[in-house]
Amino acid sequence: MTRLSPSLTRREFLFRAAAVGGSALLLNTMQAWGMGIASRTDAPPALSGSGKGKKVAILGAGLAGMTAAFELSKLGYQVEVLEARPFAGGRCQTARKGFSLQELGGEPQTCRFDDGLYINHGPWRIPLDHQSTLYYTRLFDVPLEVMVNDNDHAWIYMEDAGPFSGKRLRQEQVKADMRGHVAELLAKSVQAKQLDTALSADDRMLLLDYLEHEGALSKKDLVYRGRNGAGYAVNPGAGLRPGQPYDPLGFRELLSSRVGKVYSAVQEFPMHATMFQPVGGMDRIAQAFAKRLGKKIRYGQEVQSLRQTGDKVTIALKDTGSGKLSSVEADYCLCTIPLSVLRTIDGGFSDRFKEALKTVSYAPVGKIGLQMKRRFWEEDDQIYGGHVLTDLKGINTISLPSSGWQQKKGVLLGYYHYALDAIEASALSPAERTEFALQAGEKIFPPYRASFDNAFSVAWHRVQYNLGGWAEWDEAARKSAYPVLLEGEGRVLLAGEHLSYLTGWQAGAIESAWQQIEQLHKRASA
Ligand SMILES: Cc1cc2nc3c(=O)[nH]c(=O)nc-3n(C[C@H](O)[C@H](O)[C@H](O)COP(=O)(O)OP(=O)(O)OC[C@H]3O[C@@H](n4cnc5c(N)ncnc54)[C@H](O)[C@@H]3O)c2cc1C
């Protein structure tokens, strides 16, 4: 083999580490070498000048629309937010007692959870990386609490996992044993100089030191014999109870079961801890905006069409209560209606723009909240928040609530599915969805069915005014349609999660609004 330059050797080494230990080991190795990534947008644009005397019609009172309205008002613009729903927030919704939803072609559902209980059936997590969302929770004093997004003590339950099929394993056990075995293998290879003779002696020492720590290997012979982080079969206690550690899961069994693939050394961006949630429900953010915008938002106003004539934009509206038609005229329009809906509206756009609107697909997504009479996951299994990882068809995850610890009842997330799974389940009635979720959940938690109280489910692709969970761009559409939509047309600009690289996140909606009001202000000030 040709001798490579030191930097190339390091890269090649990382490549090999990934091949042996998967991305988890690769990322940990990178971190051990101090290589990191960071990028943030954490405040609205500082705009100078004034919008006095100019009116902006904002279509949609989701987070993008309300962010724009809030910031443009500060600049002196007259804003009018036109919202079809009777409430603000768009997808930023929370189902609690009395909340109702009727999917297109579906039965009406009214949430029957006990007072104080809720499910965030739309957005549920605020990652630390989303400083834009956190900017407003801080500004508006929306109290936050930690959302337990990663819980080593939660179960992994796989039906197609070879020797571990149908068995509940703690994530901590799988993590500890998988990493221990991989670290042992790699450490022995490094020690035997099998991996890469081009690694410097110093790097070899550092890597061995890291692997001993990573895999809890014995210094003497670099063997993994288990670690207490994997948990105990019997926990230590007082008197004559030293505890009984688990025997490590075998490397071969772990490999053939593939359960090691359910975790990674670090969470994907933006799933890093610390993850937050607003105390009492995600819609607290929407309510905080709505309170500040007051009468600037007009509810029950469904946008029917847009027309641009001269230096004005005219928006035709239908009152969803009375059916009365009206119109609003403005100097500019910022449209935050999801593209899945906007393409069904007569916007008077050019063919090129209309074509661009059609290019993006929207994710079918579904969630179900199940109120349980007893928090058996805490009482019986000591699982406080986090996700149960499973391959049970159509479930994806069962997630336990991150609030109300040790109370009597709780609402858990019974499934959170996408794509085909979401489409299939959305064809079921609410009662059938509940049954589907119970049949799966009781395989993992025996008291599931007996503890069940009532449920609330949503299939976002069947929700009017959304018609999908979030925009899903492919590479080609990012190149062709995305720049066209970012530009807007004439006096109409677009904003929303769909015009960001943070699709499916509230931060995408907020940062898109920040970006587009800057553009709008530039045009209006020209
Ligand atoms: C299941 C699910 C899970 C998610 N999880 C997270 C998460 O954990 N964390 C996170 O940060 N984000 C999450 N998101 C994404 C987040 O909810 C969205 O990115 C964000 O709320 C989108 O805001 P928006 O203003 O762009 O659009 P929307 O909130 O959809 O706002 C658009 C507004 O336009 C209105 N509208 C539509 N049509 C018309 C019309 N004809 N006339 C008038 N008004 C109209 C709608 O009623 C709505 O109020 C999740 C979304 C879903 C669906």
Side-chain angles (χ1 to χ4, degrees):
M1 196 173 98
T2 342
R3 202 172 166 79
L4 300 166
S5 73
S7 66
L8 202 59
T9 303
R10 180 166 286 201
R11 214 175 307 143
E12 199 194 17
F13 174 74
L14 288 171
F15 196 75
R16 289 184 187 195
V20 178
S23 56
L25 194 64
L26 169 70
L27 287 167
N28 263 359
T29 309
M30 285 172 77
Q31 286 196 337
W33 278 335
M35 297 155 91
I37 313 155
S39 124
R40 279 181 186 158
T41 310
D42 54 14
L47 303 177
S48 57
S50 163
K52 280 224 160 61
K54 286 172 202 129
K55 177 170 173 182
V56 182
I58 296 175
L59 313 187
L63 293 194
M66 291 197 288
T67 299
F70 182 75
E71 297 300 337
L72 287 174
S73 301
K74 287 201 297 197
L75 267 178
Y77 284 95
Q78 184 198 343
V79 299
E80 189 169 357
V81 186
L82 303 163
E83 169 56 51
R85 287 183 166 110
F87 58 88
R91 273 163 275 184
C92 178
Q93 300 181 7
T94 297
R96 54 175 78 76
K97 191 188 220 157
F99 179 87
S100 28
L101 178 77
Q102 183 166 13
E103 292 167 12
L104 293 168
E107 301 170 21
Q109 277 187 87
T110 300
C111 182
R112 293 185 293 122
F113 297 156
D114 285 12
D115 286 333
L117 297 181
Y118 66 85
I119 189 83
N120 286 320
H121 58 284
W124 54 326
R125 311 184 254 225
I126 307 177
L128 68 95
D129 301 291
H130 290 179
Q131 287 293 315
S132 48
T133 310
L134 293 169
Y135 170 85
Y136 287 110
T137 53
R138 187 169 53 239
L139 187 71
F140 298 159
D141 285 327
V142 176
L144 299 178
E145 61 195 356
V146 168
M147 191 270 184
V148 181
N149 195 43
D150 191 18
N151 184 348
D152 283 349
H153 210 57
W155 299 118
I156 297 176
Y157 178 89
M158 299 287 169
E159 294 214 306
D160 182 18
F164 299 135
S165 295
K167 291 196 177 127
R168 303 194 302 184
L169 297 172
R170 299 278 187 190
Q171 293 171 34
E172 61 213 9
Q173 203 181 0
V174 171
K175 275 187 194 177
D177 294 347
M178 190 72 196
R179 286 181 173 177
H181 292 306
V182 172
E184 176 182 328
L185 186 72
L186 190 54
K188 286 180 171 164
S189 311
V190 171
Q191 199 183 44
K193 306 195 173 177
Q194 279 169 355
L195 263 189
D196 191 340
T197 47
L199 269 182
S200 74
D202 280 355
D203 278 352
R204 266 205 306 274
M205 290 274 294
L206 286 169
L207 186 60
L208 275 176
D209 188 41
Y210 161 71
L211 290 170
E212 276 170 31
H213 169 80
E214 158 71 12
L217 308 182
S218 99
K219 266 205 180 316
K220 201 167 64 165
D221 53 8
L222 298 179
V223 170
Y224 174 68
R225 297 190 175 84
R227 66 191 308 172
N228 66 14
Y232 281 80
V234 181
N235 278 350
L240 296 175
R241 287 191 53 192
Q244 189 192 325
Y246 280 121
D247 288 336
L249 303 168
F251 197 19
R252 284 233 162 72
E253 286 77 17
L254 280 165
L255 288 176
S256 64
S257 70
R258 296 191 175 86
V259 287
K261 280 171 57 180
V262 300
Y263 71 88
S264 57
V266 288
Q267 295 272 19
E268 297 296 315
F269 181 86
M271 290 291 172
H272 303 143
T274 309
M275 190 66 82
F276 295 105
Q277 63 181 19
V279 174
M282 190 59 86
D283 66 346
R284 299 291 192 234
I285 301 181
Q287 289 163 0
F289 268 109
K291 188 172 130 199
R292 281 153 184 89
L293 290 168
K295 294 211 164 81
K296 291 187 176 106
I297 306 178
R298 285 179 56 202
Y299 297 99
Q301 299 301 311
E302 188 183 282
V303 173
Q304 305 271 285
S305 69
L306 308 180
R307 282 294 175 272
Q308 300 193 49
T309 42
D311 51 5
K312 294 284 178 210
V313 186
T314 307
I315 297 115
L317 299 166
K318 185 170 105 185
D319 187 296
T320 56
S322 64
K324 205 175 134 223
L325 302 177
S326 66
S327 67
V328 159
E329 198 178 72
D331 300 301
Y332 290 91
C333 171
L334 184 72
C335 176
T336 72
I337 295 174
L339 304 182
S340 45
V341 178
L342 184 58
R343 56 193 173 217
T344 67
I345 292 175
D346 172 12
F349 298 120
S350 67
D351 287 345
R352 180 171 171 257
F353 203 79
K354 280 195 274 194
E355 215 33 61
L357 287 175
K358 279 194 236 151
T359 321
V360 191
S361 52
Y362 269 68
V365 183
K367 278 189 180 183
I368 191 165
L370 304 172
Q371 177 171 303
M372 296 292 178
K373 292 177 208 140
R374 184 171 81 81
R375 296 169 80 102
F376 50 82
W377 55 95
E378 293 179 2
E379 290 174 15
D380 304 351
D381 298 339
Q382 303 79 49
I383 302 173
Y384 298 89
H387 315 295
V388 173
L389 307 174
T390 179
D391 64 353
L392 284 172
K393 185 169 163 27
I395 297 298
N396 187 35
T397 179
I398 293 178
S399 298
L400 292 331
S402 296
S403 60
W405 313 115
Q406 300 195 325
Q407 284 177 7
K408 197 158 173 268
K409 297 189 177 183
V411 174
L412 57 76
L413 182 69
Y415 58 64
Y416 182 14
H417 49 211
Y418 321 97
L420 258 184
D421 286 341
I423 292 173
E424 277 173 25
S426 67
L428 304 175
S429 69
E432 289 167 335
R433 291 178 197 172
T434 302
E435 178 53 30
F436 170 72
L438 291 179
Q439 273 183 23
E442 68 187 339
K443 290 190 175 176
I444 306 172
F445 295 102
Y448 215 71
R449 186 178 290 274
S451 306
F452 171 70
D453 231 347
N454 57 68
F456 187 87
S457 67
V458 62
W460 279 96
H461 43 292
R462 289 183 57 185
V463 171
Q464 193 184 14
Y465 306 127
N466 278 108
L467 304 181
W470 48 77
E472 288 189 320
W473 292 93
D474 59 30
E475 227 175 287
R478 277 278 185 206
K479 280 201 190 117
S480 60
Y482 190 67
V484 175
L485 299 178
L486 268 184
E487 221 10 66
E489 200 159 75
R491 289 172 172 262
V492 179
L493 283 158
L494 309 187
E497 57 89 24
H498 44 275
L499 284 194
S500 74
Y501 280 87
L502 292 166
T503 52
W505 292 100
Q506 298 174 115
I510 292 169
E511 290 174 37
S512 162
W514 285 352
Q515 196 237 327
Q516 294 297 53
I517 57 168
E518 193 166 5
Q519 214 190 141
L520 189 151
H521 185 55
K522 237 185 244 163
R523 284 188 200 180
S525 312

